[in-house]
Amino acid sequence: MAEPARKTTAEVRQLSKDAKFDTIGVVMASTQRRDKKGSPYWTITVMDETGSLEGRVWSNGVWKDVRDGGSTDVDPLTSDLAKGMNGRSLGLRGQVSEFNDKLQYNFNIVYFVDQEKYPPHEFVQRSPIPVETLLKGLDEILGQCGELEAFVRSVLESDGIRRDFESFPAAVSHHHAYTAGLLEHTISVARNAVATADASIASGYPVDRGIVAAGALLHDLGKLDAYRLSPMPQMTVPGTVIDHVALGYARFDRLAEAFGLEERLRLALGHILISHHGSKEFGSPALPATPEAMIVSSADELDFRLYCWKNAVDQLDDDSDGITDFSYSAGRRFWKWRE
Ligand SMILES: [Fe+2]
Ligand SMILES: [Fe+2]
């Protein structure tokens, strides 16, 4: 029997009903349940650099250990390989089927692969924008921080922050939940914020664009303590029990103290970090009270929504009416308007 050529998860998601596929990814989540007849089945979500794919392994699925080049049968109910699959690379061979008018992915063969030959970190989804392009964007915004440029540069150079910024996700789910997602999100927020600052200045509002640029670059500083890649984005314990808004303010306060940042700038920037979620309901203990904080907070929300829109419309079929599935992150359906 001819084996289907290996596909990325993005390529598998483009396949039509009945198509066969073979893919490898790192397991983000796996759960075992029982169907109505009491037979076990598994739901497995794998990720690769192009995205993720969720599918089912029914009780007639075949599980194989191919790590040493051979092919040994594995009993998924007793094997440690199956119990410990999360965070490890896994091969999946299957077929697209349809259920309730929706495509569904059945994994007929699950194969445990050599983790050195297929290192899990190589399958983690990354920002679609190359890191060099993102770093160029970071430098451009740094150049717009005015009297805060030296401080923001000192933050990036401390505690390996610049290096972490190059790899960290912006979230565990919801938005930019992939390698370098935090950098991609931060630059987009900073660009929008600086453009809004310029537009507001042109409309006669007194706005300090240096504080806007610096505040936008640092607004999610706490995510460096709240998340980690292991190799998929995960929430740390402090991220869960303190949250990135408070964690970011704490880290900022330490760094501002060490730098000897002037009190008025310290308060203006600290206010942006603590208020950037825009409301108490969304985790900010103080509401944005300055033009600079209002601008950063709205740029943050705009980037989040634009990301959710793009993510949702990317899943649309070519012949759809342009209305997306409900986005729980953004609390709405989106629309891809077409001429
Ligand atoms: Fe945030
Ligand atoms: Fe943010």
Side-chain angles (χ1 to χ4, degrees), residues 136-300:
K136 245 181 97 191
L138 178 65
D139 271 334
E140 277 166 28
I141 308 283
L142 272 168
Q144 315 206 30
C145 291
E147 60 182 332
L148 280 160
E149 183 175 341
F151 171 66
V152 180
R153 282 192 187 277
S154 86
V155 170
L156 291 177
E157 296 323 319
S158 63
D159 307 341
I161 288 180
R162 186 186 272 266
R163 188 198 58 226
D164 287 348
F165 242 110
E166 286 176 29
S167 62
F168 264 58
V172 172
S173 55
H174 298 305
H175 74 114
H176 301 87
Y178 44 62
T179 302
L182 181 58
L183 189 56
E184 182 190 325
H185 166 66
T186 298
I187 289 164
S188 180
V189 169
R191 282 205 182 108
N192 282 332
V194 170
T196 308
D198 287 341
S200 304
I201 292 165
S203 301
Y205 294 105
V207 179
D208 186 315
R209 71 197 297 280
I211 290 179
V212 168
L217 286 183
L218 299 181
H219 82 280
D220 271 339
L221 186 63
K223 290 192 171 171
L224 300 177
D225 296 312
Y227 303 130
R228 66 193 153 99
L229 284 163
S230 66
M232 293 99 57
Q234 281 185 351
M235 185 86 90
T236 61
V237 172
T240 310
V241 300
I242 310 281
D243 188 77
H244 79 276
V245 174
L247 286 169
Y249 182 79
R251 202 198 260 246
F252 160 77
D253 203 46
R254 274 198 314 273
L255 292 166
E257 177 72 38
F259 182 83
L261 188 66
E262 247 182 87
E263 186 62 23
R264 67 183 179 96
L265 294 173
R266 194 163 159 173
L267 218 47
L269 262 189
H271 173 63
I272 292 180
L273 266 73
I274 209 82
S275 69
H276 81 266
H277 275 209
S279 71
K280 294 186 181 175
E281 186 192 346
F282 290 128
S284 273
L287 305 192
T290 61
E292 294 79 13
M294 288 187 262
I295 287 172
V296 172
S297 175
S298 35
D300 186 37

